[in-house]
Amino acid sequence: MALVVLLASAPFHAQAQTSGGAAVADREHIAIAQATFTPTDAEFENPERGFYRAASTDLDKLGADEVAKAYADGYRLIYARINLAAYRDADLPQSYLKKIEAGFATARRGGVKLIVRATYNYPNGETEYRDAQDAPIARVKDHLAQLKPVLRRNSDVIAFVQAGFIGAWGEWHTSSNDLTSPENRNQIKTALLDAVPDTRFVQFRYPPYIRDWSPHLPPLTAALSGAFRLGFHNDCFLASQTDVGTYDEEPALRAEQQTFTDELGDLGPFGGETCNPADDPNAKPRTACSDILSEGARYNLTYLNDDYYRRLFHDNWIKDGCMTDVRRRMGYRFALVSATHPANASRGGPLSISIVVRNSGWARLYNPRAVEVVLRDPVSGAVHRITSHSADPRQWLPDTDSAAMLDIVIPKDLPTGVQEIWLALPDADSRLAKDSRFSIRFANADDAAKMQNWNPSLGGFSLGTRVEIR
């Protein structure tokens, strides 16, 4: 049972009882409900974070069975490629764009979000990429203009966009059309940021390019407002001293680039995959638990390919006993610490709930998300959802306890009487807001004695407190 504290503003006269039996002062006193919460080490599948599964086919062919299998296996992210190989010299047909749109719809129905990358080639081996073909700059820009409305219409199920388009695998190297020249990559970066929904980040493959565009990283407010939308994906994470060409060969310059990506992760998302360092003859892969735990935290690792390259990395993390910790800590991990609010409120009047949230994950939340106060009638089960605009969970930083004030207005038509208080973090998009599969689960343990529990149907966690509506 939540504690109710009496803060007297006048001499005490009498007390009434709430339905839960806790004392509440009369109107000459202020009654405050307080609750504390217990964190849990359990693994939870949450949106836009964690290990991802790469789709076995392209986005335009993404099937419901594959998405359902991924969801059942605990994945909430799927990597999906937009395959442009057939259109290096042609516009994208409307029939193809409709198939891409259908792929997004399949993800939406299946409860997952996508990491999206468009490519003109996908070589089969780690060393068979030198003859890969991309498209001329004009064609790339035309394709981005055609993809723009599709991407923007489906922003709800896009977690992150990897830059793609240039070179082998769309990884911004070995371009057959000189797309890696400063002028061309600048144009493509600008076109990408224009095409991708304003609320989503674009992740680029090489830190020096990002550093050229933004040598002095802005404050967090720029990322929260959408003024800064650059992220980094490392597709040879931990594979060698340079992560197979991701960083410079020269140690001092490499250290500067790594410091930059460390700071970049505070603003934009970092993710990717490990790789087979076959193309680096002097590779020294960093395969120990100490490596993934330290570098995951340093660079704010949000997601990682679960299937590649397992032999050197994932299998070692399992053998050495840290895989569970990696799964828990990748991305954000929010747990309620405490909550305080008045025990009484008036219809049409304000209610403020003070909370403290601990983020024990490696990263912050990058995409916009609502904070919702859910009032639930303990007898009828009727629910009223009220979005609070006074808190932004993207500001709940990793390895930090963050205080937030949730200010709401009680609906004028809410029935008088006792209401339970729940907290929810639904998706910000109206198409997904009522789908609890896309809600973030707090990493708190259920506690029957305190009436605290996660409700998957509500997509919310009970504070175990109540408010008397007058």
Side-chain angles (χ1 to χ4, degrees):
M1 182 66 62
L3 175 66
V4 176
V5 179
L6 305 178
L7 301 179
S9 58
F12 182 79
H13 294 294
Q15 291 182 348
Q17 296 290 319
T18 67
S19 60
V24 178
D26 65 15
R27 296 193 180 191
E28 293 185 74
H29 295 74
I30 303 171
I32 301 294
Q34 294 180 329
T36 57
F37 306 91
T38 304
T40 177
D41 287 335
E43 292 182 42
F44 296 125
E45 298 84 16
N46 266 322
E48 302 171 355
R49 58 158 297 280
F51 281 105
Y52 73 80
R53 175 169 286 174
S56 63
T57 188
D58 301 325
L59 178 56
D60 61 295
K61 302 181 184 70
L62 186 63
D65 289 347
E66 180 169 11
V67 172
K69 178 70 163 57
Y71 187 91
D73 290 343
Y75 297 97
R76 297 298 178 265
L77 281 175
I78 290 179
Y79 169 90
R81 176 180 55 160
I82 298 175
N83 187 351
L84 304 178
Y87 307 109
R88 295 189 191 106
D89 299 310
D91 288 341
L92 305 179
Q94 283 301 310
S95 58
Y96 183 66
L97 294 172
K98 288 180 179 178
K99 289 178 181 179
I100 294 173
E101 194 110 36
F104 282 121
T106 298
R108 186 178 296 111
R109 288 191 298 271
V112 302
K113 295 205 176 189
L114 302 178
I115 303 163
V116 181
R117 185 198 299 183
T119 71
Y120 291 105
N121 57 74
Y122 228 72
N124 289 324
E126 292 282 1
T127 58
E128 300 173 6
Y129 59 84
R130 295 173 182 85
D131 296 325
Q133 300 294 303
D134 51 26
I137 180 68
R139 179 65 62 195
V140 174
K141 292 167 71 175
D142 286 345
H143 285 168
L144 273 165
Q146 287 188 277
L147 288 168
K148 177 177 177 176
V150 178
L151 295 174
R152 290 183 170 252
R153 278 196 298 272
N154 293 282
S155 61
D156 59 326
V157 287
I158 294 174
F160 311 107
V161 175
Q162 295 183 352
F165 289 97
I166 296 178
W169 301 290
E171 287 190 17
W172 288 52
H173 62 78
T174 56
S175 169
S176 63
N177 284 276
D178 194 33
L179 298 182
T180 54
S181 71
E183 181 182 355
N184 285 338
R185 66 176 186 252
N186 230 12
Q187 290 187 58
I188 293 174
K189 181 263 294 184
T190 300
L192 272 162
L193 289 173
D194 178 63
V196 171
D198 298 340
T199 57
R200 296 299 185 261
F201 284 83
V202 179
Q203 296 177 283
F204 295 88
R205 181 66 182 87
Y206 289 103
Y209 298 165
I210 306 171
R211 199 177 179 194
D212 285 345
W213 299 323
S214 187
H216 304 290
L217 291 173
L220 179 60
T221 51
L224 298 178
S225 69
F228 182 86
R229 294 164 50 217
L230 306 182
F232 168 46
H233 72 97
N234 184 347
D235 285 4
C236 275
F237 185 43
L238 303 171
S240 73
Q241 299 93 315
T242 67
D243 287 353
V244 192
T246 300
Y247 297 106
D248 200 270
E249 293 280 355
E250 201 279 310
L253 184 53
R254 180 165 70 244
E256 289 180 12
Q257 293 166 352
Q258 291 168 335
T259 297
F260 177 83
T261 54
D262 176 358
E263 296 170 352
L264 178 64
D266 298 334
L267 304 178
F270 166 62
E273 61 185 10
T274 56
C275 81
N276 179 356
D279 211 31
D280 190 337
N282 300 310
K284 295 179 181 179
R286 305 184 298 286
T287 63
C289 275
S290 58
D291 296 316
I292 181 60
L293 294 177
S294 63
E295 295 196 39
R298 179 184 182 187
Y299 297 113
N300 308 103
L301 181 65
T302 287
Y303 67 81
L304 200 67
N305 190 342
D306 200 25
D307 296 320
Y308 192 78
Y309 186 63
R310 295 195 65 90
R311 183 173 63 83
L312 270 181
F313 300 97
H314 306 60
D315 292 349
N316 271 339
W317 303 336
I318 294 170
K319 177 172 64 71
D320 293 343
C322 67
M323 179 58 95
T324 298
D325 202 23
V326 172
R327 289 188 179 279
R328 278 197 300 258
R329 301 197 64 192
M330 210 181 306
Y332 60 84
R333 184 177 175 88
F334 299 145
L336 292 163
V337 177
S338 63
T340 305
H341 62 83
N344 304 292
S346 299
R347 294 193 293 181
L351 175 66
S352 294
I353 304 171
S354 174
I355 62 171
V356 175
V357 178
R358 177 173 299 131
N359 182 357
S360 60
W362 285 333
R364 72 179 186 89
L365 179 70
Y366 294 99
N367 295 333
R369 184 164 287 264
V371 181
E372 198 172 65
V373 176
V374 182
L375 302 180
R376 183 175 182 268
D377 188 305
V379 178
S380 70
V383 167
H384 290 77
R385 298 177 178 271
I386 309 168
T387 298
S388 173
H389 300 285
S390 59
D392 187 343
R394 295 177 298 171
Q395 294 179 288
W396 300 345
L397 303 182
D399 200 27
T400 300
D401 285 8
S402 298
M405 186 66 74
L406 309 180
D407 296 326
I408 63 170
V409 175
I410 302 297
K412 292 181 179 180
D413 60 351
L414 188 71
T416 58
V418 171
Q419 294 280 334
E420 300 170 348
I421 296 185
W422 299 64
L423 284 192
L425 296 173
D427 198 273
D429 193 285
S430 60
R431 290 168 288 183
L432 304 181
K434 295 180 180 179
D435 189 336
S436 61
R437 295 175 301 173
F438 293 95
S439 293
I440 291 175
R441 178 168 182 171
F442 288 102
N444 288 102
D446 290 353
D447 188 330
K450 292 183 176 180
M451 298 190 300
Q452 295 171 352
N453 67 283
W454 171 258
N455 184 313
S457 297
L458 287 178
F461 192 84
S462 170
L463 301 188
T465 62
R466 298 183 175 191
V467 60
E468 179 81 27
I469 305 299
R470 297 170 174 170

